[in-house]
Amino acid sequence: MDSLTTPRVTEPVKTEMSPRVDRRDFLRVSAIAGGGLLLGAYLRPAEALAGTAAALQPAAADEFRPNVFIRLTPDGKVTIVNKNPEIGQGIKTMLPMLIAEELDVDWNQVTVVQGDSEPDKYGQQFAGGSTATPMNWDEHRRIGAAGRQMLLAAAASNWGVPASELTTSPGVVEHKASGRTAPYGHLVARAATLTAPDLKSVPVKNPRDFRIIGKFRKGVDNPLLVTGKPLFGIDVTVPGMKYAIFEKCPVFGGKVKSANLDAIRAMPGIKDAFVVEGGTALNGLLGGVAIVADSWWYAQKARGALQVVWDEGATASQGSDTYAAEAARLAKAAPFKTLRKDGDPDAALATAAKTVSATYFYPFISHATLEPQNCTASVVDGKVEIWAPTQNPQPGRQLVARTLGVDEKAVTIHMIRAGGGFGRRLSNDYMVEAAWIAKEAGTPVKLLWSREDDMRHDFYRPAGWHNLTAGVDAAGKIVAWKNHFVSFGEGERFGPSAGMAPTEFPSRFIANFQYDVTNIPSGVPTGPLRAPGSNALAYVFHSFIDELAEAAGKDPVDFRLALLGDPRLVANPDGSAAYDAGRMRGVLELVAQKSNWGKVTLPKGTGRGVAFHFSHRGYFAEVVEASVAANGAVKVNKVWVAGDVGNQIINPSGAEQQVQGSVLDGLSEAMTQEITIKAGRAEQSNFNQYPLLRMRQAPPVEVHFKLTDFSPTGIGEPALPPVVPALCNAIFAATGKRVRSLPLSKSGFRWA
């Protein structure tokens, strides 16, 4: 198989490159079979993210990591490898666009292939935190630009003219003085013999010359998606593969006491059934019963006859009701820790013209990816091969190696497109389960979770309680703010994704300010969900800010502009945790303008709400218009979004989709989604109990971007947080009813 042809799900693309790197060369050039030019780049992504010159300086051979390949062949074909996991965020299109732009090729002639997990070759490979753009914006462009420079040098050598006299049009080198032209394909053999340029000095295009960046580009997988071709992890098949299910204790962290394995093994189509002892780490291999069969249907049918006696463990005594009661008790007690205290909040509150107190609650919620967790694994002679829709392959490799007792280098991971991630696939519990079952069964297996497995064994967005008190003076200015946050964790240490930074807005914008924290121990697994932390905190703080605006008798937009103050950078003394008040003012003013805020007379029962939030380097402000019927039926008429993610929208098509998807995701979370815990287990297990937004309920979402002078940043997450409080504030504007607990459905609301 050619190493860089379009991959099939069952035959992931293989890339070939020596891990040895010349310390003086940042770009490796080598001839490939059949005559071609193979380009690889060696940068340190973490330093590139920091924007330091050191990012381009090699230190030692073992520290260089190739992260991108370009292949040009004599027939003019261009192949670009995408290094990061594709989970629906469009990265498989966006990252190669950066390379293709600077290489100056026709995008329609580019074939994009998915790379495997090979951190020694590609550097960091993960999907999370909206980091792909800031980490790769510079380096991917330089890689493409280096390729173009080498092709110019090859043409200059062939024609005996200075390279400075040459230009390129897509896929062609031109010498205007002589009228000569050469397609790239005619130059690859010569280019492959040239010395690689230093990436530090490789010039990149002026943005006004972009032909690919900034243009609407369809997703490269779209033809496969719309025709239903195998593409996702759930579609993977390998020779000799069997199908597996894994029954875990419904109580988080429970273990198997006994099971009717003999009866299960005797059932039709069943090849094996065995107990997995497992460990105690919730994000590792837990105890359960594995069933391996000729088909998933056989395995699932046998599961119906499975009888397991469980040791449910300590979490069986926990539940949502007990958490809520404990949170209410702790809210009245002294906090475990004060995260931040500025000024004298109590003294300032004593001077306030009006004081507002409120308790806000948000629940556990599930990721609910449409494709349940799955993984295919094979273990042969100590070598582990994995096909996984994962967001975070390298920690998965480490987990598998550690659990199976093999070297990390013995674990190969093929990254397969995921049917949704939202942070769920940052955890690799399903990967280690598949690897363990394949090892024990002695055959390749595809482990496929049911919908019920997926919802009952998630790493949920943590619930939380915020007990707020603030005051405004006679002029309507906030003079003090206190918040006793009751979250989950051990002692002063927050549980996964349950924390809050002491710099969280409106911290540093109010002179007398205090954040207190108390944690409740919990056995419920939690983890990041799209815009982690922010997806809940924005709801709390911008709902409460709206309450203060109401108390002050101020327009919600004007009140927020006054809170932001003059355009300036607000940061810690060491420059960290910077918050640009000017950029936030910019998007707030833009969304107010686009929505005609304050200039439209709305009918009775219709209201508008506004909110903003900064997260993942992005500044977003949003306005929701909603109509609420007397029976609580809510119709969101429209959502306006203004975002600032820097000076360039790389793929406007993908960016618009991400923003619209984030908004609809947030609306769905706000209205209906909640996971409740009873006797240590999740009560919800499918979409009839955990409904998602329907297409007929989805409002139009108008998206605007404000371009600023900053380098572009990611967009998968920061558009979600503001829509939740904007919706709640719109409901208040329409009904006068303030919502302080999510989901909205528990306060008598539903979709119209």
Side-chain angles (χ1 to χ4, degrees):
M1 174 182 172
D2 191 321
S3 64
L4 286 171
T5 54
T6 302
R8 291 175 295 167
V9 170
T10 53
E11 298 177 28
V13 63
K14 300 281 189 181
T15 51
E16 297 178 356
M17 176 170 272
S18 167
R20 301 291 301 172
V21 180
D22 188 315
R23 295 187 61 171
R24 294 171 299 176
D25 291 342
F26 298 88
L27 190 68
R28 169 161 292 186
V29 182
S30 59
I32 56 178
L37 176 64
L38 184 66
L39 305 177
Y42 303 84
L43 297 175
R44 286 182 286 177
E47 291 175 337
L49 176 60
T52 64
L56 304 179
Q57 294 284 0
D62 59 353
E63 293 179 349
F64 293 128
R65 290 170 293 181
N67 53 22
V68 170
F69 297 111
I70 305 168
R71 187 189 188 196
L72 305 174
T73 50
D75 57 6
K77 293 181 179 177
V78 182
T79 304
I80 299 176
V81 176
N82 169 53
K83 69 166 189 169
N84 277 4
E86 173 61 67
I87 59 172
Q89 82 280 42
I91 205 67
K92 192 175 176 182
T93 303
M94 188 276 280
L95 286 183
M97 284 174 63
L98 302 178
I99 298 170
E101 176 66 69
E102 297 290 347
L103 186 61
D104 204 6
V105 294
D106 183 348
W107 178 249
N108 293 324
Q109 300 302 314
V110 172
T111 298
V112 177
V113 296
Q114 177 64 57
D116 285 341
S117 168
E118 298 179 87
D120 290 343
K121 184 183 293 183
Y122 297 114
Q124 296 187 59
Q125 296 174 274
F126 67 96
S130 298
T131 55
T133 296
M135 291 181 70
N136 297 290
W137 167 249
D138 286 329
E139 67 180 48
H140 271 50
R141 291 176 63 203
R142 289 177 185 275
I143 290 163
R148 176 178 174 273
Q149 185 167 319
M150 296 176 69
L151 291 161
L152 288 171
S157 175
N158 287 349
W159 294 338
V161 300
S164 60
E165 295 182 1
L166 303 179
T167 59
T168 60
S169 59
V172 177
V173 178
E174 300 172 340
H175 185 231
K176 293 183 179 177
S178 64
R180 284 178 289 190
T181 62
Y184 282 2
H186 293 182
L187 299 170
V188 293
R190 176 66 181 133
T193 67
L194 301 178
T195 301
D198 185 341
L199 286 185
K200 289 186 298 183
S201 60
V202 173
V204 295
K205 286 184 176 179
N206 187 309
R208 66 170 177 263
D209 297 325
F210 285 165
R211 294 185 172 104
I212 296 173
I213 293 174
K215 306 295 190 297
F216 278 73
R217 302 293 176 186
K218 299 175 182 175
V220 296
D221 282 339
N222 283 5
L224 297 177
L225 289 169
V226 300
T227 56
K229 297 292 192 302
L231 182 64
F232 297 98
I234 202 170
D235 299 319
V236 169
T237 59
V238 300
M241 184 186 84
K242 301 298 181 184
Y243 296 81
I245 63 96
F246 188 47
E247 175 80 2
K248 289 188 283 193
C249 181
V251 177
F252 306 112
K255 289 182 170 294
V256 178
K257 284 185 175 178
S258 63
N260 59 335
L261 297 179
D262 290 339
I264 298 301
R265 292 179 184 128
M267 294 184 70
I270 301 303
K271 296 302 177 186
D272 203 354
F274 50 88
V275 171
V276 176
E277 185 64 24
T280 58
L282 295 176
N283 60 354
L285 180 66
L286 292 173
V289 176
I291 300 175
V292 180
D294 289 330
S295 72
W296 190 80
W297 174 249
Y298 280 133
Q300 189 70 356
K301 193 167 181 61
R303 184 183 206 171
L306 181 64
Q307 298 175 10
V308 185
V309 178
W310 300 102
D311 175 1
E312 296 185 339
T315 304
S317 64
Q318 299 179 11
S320 293
D321 290 345
T322 59
Y323 293 147
E326 182 67 355
R329 184 187 71 81
L330 291 171
K332 300 173 184 174
F336 283 6
K337 183 178 183 179
T338 295
L339 275 179
R340 185 185 189 96
K341 185 175 183 181
D342 298 325
D344 190 340
D346 289 326
L349 283 171
T351 68
K354 292 183 179 179
T355 300
V356 179
S357 295
T359 294
Y360 279 80
F361 166 74
Y362 44 83
F364 294 104
I365 57 177
S366 172
H367 296 81
T369 59
L370 289 187
E371 180 196 29
Q373 310 317 306
N374 64 86
C375 180
T376 300
S378 174
V379 182
V380 178
D381 297 332
K383 303 289 186 183
V384 185
E385 190 167 11
I386 288 170
W387 296 261
T390 174
Q391 291 181 242
N392 208 10
Q394 178 59 9
R397 173 182 283 107
Q398 295 166 343
L399 175 62
V400 168
R402 186 168 62 249
T403 306
L404 270 63
V406 301
D407 190 273
E408 286 183 28
K409 294 180 180 178
V411 181
T412 299
I413 298 178
H414 307 290
M415 296 189 300
I416 310 300
R417 183 175 177 124
F422 315 116
R424 174 60 181 88
R425 288 180 163 104
L426 291 169
S427 297
N428 291 291
D429 47 331
Y430 56 95
M431 184 190 293
V432 74
E433 290 172 2
W436 185 270
I437 294 170
K439 177 186 176 185
E440 293 295 303
T443 185
V445 300
K446 175 158 68 178
L447 171 70
L448 175 58
W449 287 19
S450 66
R451 176 65 59 200
E452 289 77 10
D453 292 330
D454 208 48
M455 203 163 285
R456 288 170 177 161
H457 294 285
D458 203 343
F459 292 85
Y460 307 100
R461 192 278 302 275
W465 298 260
H466 293 259
N467 303 280
L468 296 146
T469 298
V472 295
D473 62 18
K477 179 183 178 182
I478 302 176
V479 295
W481 176 294
K482 294 182 68 175
N483 178 15
H484 184 177
F485 175 31
V486 180
S487 185
F488 291 100
E490 294 289 339
E492 296 183 355
R493 183 170 56 85
F494 287 115
S497 298
M500 179 176 66
T503 54
E504 189 71 40
F505 184 87
S507 170
R508 303 176 294 179
F509 286 79
I510 299 171
N512 302 291
F513 193 88
Q514 187 167 341
Y515 271 158
D516 296 322
V517 172
T518 299
N519 288 324
I520 301 173
S522 168
V524 177
T526 59
L529 182 143
R530 193 177 198 171
S534 298
N535 58 41
L537 299 177
Y539 149 68
V540 172
F541 298 150
H542 269 277
S543 295
F544 192 58
I545 287 172
D546 229 52
E547 292 202 54
L548 296 176
E550 177 74 10
K554 300 289 186 180
D555 173 82
V557 170
D558 293 340
F559 189 76
R560 285 171 171 79
L561 288 171
L563 177 58
L564 287 167
D566 295 333
R568 66 199 188 284
L569 195 65
V570 179
N572 290 335
D574 63 358
S576 63
Y579 190 111
D580 193 322
R583 295 180 74 180
M584 191 59 84
R585 288 184 65 95
V587 294
L588 180 57
E589 290 167 345
L590 179 60
V591 80
Q593 173 200 339
K594 295 298 183 182
S595 64
N596 286 319
W597 179 269
K599 300 178 181 177
V600 178
T601 301
L602 300 172
K604 184 180 179 182
T606 296
R608 286 185 172 184
V610 65
F612 63 72
H613 194 71
F614 168 69
S615 70
H616 301 85
R617 307 176 186 83
Y619 294 81
F620 278 80
E622 301 176 14
V623 169
V624 170
E625 180 182 300
S627 297
V628 186
N631 63 0
V634 177
K635 182 180 189 313
V636 176
N637 301 318
K638 189 169 182 178
V639 180
W640 292 263
V641 179
D644 175 357
V645 288
N647 57 16
Q648 181 68 62
I649 304 300
I650 298 170
N651 182 3
S653 175
E656 185 177 71
Q657 291 171 30
Q658 285 301 299
V659 171
Q660 292 175 335
S662 295
V663 166
L664 300 183
D665 201 1
L667 293 175
S668 187
E669 292 176 2
M671 178 57 79
T672 55
Q673 295 180 13
E674 179 179 28
I675 294 292
T676 55
I677 307 299
K678 186 174 184 180
R681 66 202 79 198
E683 292 191 286
Q684 294 73 26
S685 61
N686 214 319
F687 291 133
N688 61 320
Q689 302 165 305
Y690 192 85
L692 305 184
L693 191 76
R694 302 296 181 93
M695 291 182 68
R696 63 180 172 80
Q697 297 157 346
V701 181
E702 186 176 304
V703 181
H704 300 275
F705 291 107
K706 184 176 179 62
L707 301 183
T708 51
D709 294 333
F710 302 89
S711 187
T713 54
I715 205 166
E717 292 166 283
L720 188 151
V723 76
V724 179
L727 172 62
C728 293
N729 294 337
I731 290 174
F732 174 78
T735 67
K737 184 175 182 179
R738 182 65 67 185
V739 177
R740 299 193 180 101
S741 179
L742 294 179
L744 291 163
S745 57
K746 297 185 76 172
S747 296
F749 298 105
R750 60 177 175 81
W751 292 124

